[in-house]
Amino acid sequence: SDFKVAISEVFDVDIFLRVLAADVFTSNWDGYSFNINNFYLYHNPRTDKFEYLPYDLDNSFGIDWFNINWGTRNVYDWTSDSHNNVLTDRVLQVSDFKDRYTYYLQKLVNNYAHPNQFFPIIDCLHDQITPFAEADTYRTLDYGYSVEDFHDSYEQKLQGHVKYGVKEYVTARRNSI
C-alpha cells in the first residue's frame, strides 16, 4: 500500500519512466521491461537512490525475433508474459507514475518524433555512417545483408527479423501511440 512512497525513497522513478517511454517508443525489447536484460542499477551516492541505466539498444525500431508487431504493441502492456517484470508492472500500477509515463510518451511523440523533424535527423545519420557501413568487410557476415539492404532499411522492411524500415517504424509507432 505504501509502494509509491517506499520506492521513491530508494529509486529514481522519474529516470526509469523516461527510459521506459523511450524504450517503448523505439521498441527496445531487449532491455529490462520486456526481456529483463541489458541494464544496470547504479547507486548514486549524491542522492542515495538507485538509478536505472540501459545499454545495448540494438534490438529496436521494429527488429523482431518473437513475431510481435512492435510498431503497434500496446504501450501499457509492454512487458513479456514469459518474464516476471515486477518493477515495470508494479510502477505502472501507480496512477501517478502511469500518468507521468504517458506524459513522457506524448512529449516524445509530439516534440521529437514528428516526421518533418525526425526524418531529416535519420537522413543525416544515414549520410554520416554510409562511408563506414560501405567499407565494413564484416557486413556480409551479419545475416548476409548487402549495402543495398543497408540503404533500403531506412525506408522499407527487409527479410527476416527486420520487419520495418526505420522511417516506417517511426511512423507506425507514432500513430499507434
Side-chain angles (χ1 to χ4, degrees), residues 67-109:
N67 201 27
I68 294 173
N69 186 337
W70 298 103
T72 60
R73 186 171 175 87
N74 185 326
V75 299
Y76 300 109
D77 187 21
W78 185 256
T79 59
S80 170
D81 294 335
S82 62
H83 298 302
N84 191 7
N85 302 83
V86 176
L87 181 62
T88 304
D89 290 338
R90 189 67 179 98
V91 163
L92 291 180
Q93 288 173 2
V94 176
S95 62
D96 288 345
F97 294 157
K98 186 175 181 179
D99 289 347
R100 197 173 331 153
Y101 163 70
T102 301
Y103 167 77
Y104 290 136
L105 270 173
Q106 288 299 324
K107 186 175 180 180
L108 182 63
V109 167

Side-chain angles (χ1 to χ4, degrees), residues 2 6 10-11 19 24 27 35-36 38 44 46 64 68 71 78 85 87 95 121 135 139 150 162 165 169 176:
D2 64 343
V10 297
F11 184 64
V19 172
V24 168
S27 79
N35 204 31
I36 309 179
N38 297 326
N44 185 332
R46 195 184 90 236
D64 178 48
I68 294 173
W78 185 256
N85 302 83
L87 181 62
S95 62
I121 294 169
R139 175 188 4 82
F150 164 74
V162 182
Y169 173 80
S176 74

Side-chain angles (χ1 to χ4, degrees), residues 106-177:
Q106 288 299 324
K107 186 175 180 180
L108 182 63
V109 167
N110 294 331
N111 296 346
Y112 303 105
H114 192 280
N116 293 341
Q117 188 176 8
F118 200 46
F119 288 6
I121 294 169
I122 292 170
D123 293 338
C124 180
L125 292 169
H126 174 239
D127 291 346
Q128 288 176 346
I129 66 174
T130 290
F132 306 101
E134 290 176 347
D136 182 3
T137 58
Y138 294 99
R139 175 188 4 82
T140 58
L141 302 175
D142 190 17
Y143 304 102
Y145 290 126
S146 67
V147 171
E148 293 77 27
D149 292 330
F150 164 74
H151 294 296
D152 290 345
S153 70
Y154 287 81
E155 302 288 340
Q156 64 193 32
K157 68 180 180 176
L158 303 178
Q159 75 278 2
H161 63 278
V162 182
K163 308 291 185 182
Y164 285 96
V166 175
K167 292 178 182 178
E168 278 183 315
Y169 173 80
V170 169
T171 300
R173 196 65 182 138
R174 186 175 192 281
N175 291 340
S176 74
I177 291 174

Side-chain angles (χ1 to χ4, degrees), residues 9-11 43-50:
E9 290 174 356
V10 297
F11 184 64
H43 181 256
N44 185 332
R46 195 184 90 236
T47 63
D48 198 30
K49 290 184 179 183
F50 285 92

Side-chain angles (χ1 to χ4, degrees), residues 18-29 31-32 52 54 57 78:
R18 288 172 186 255
V19 172
L20 178 60
D23 280 350
V24 168
F25 178 78
T26 61
S27 79
N28 174 34
W29 55 260
Y32 171 78
Y52 176 80
L57 308 173
W78 185 256

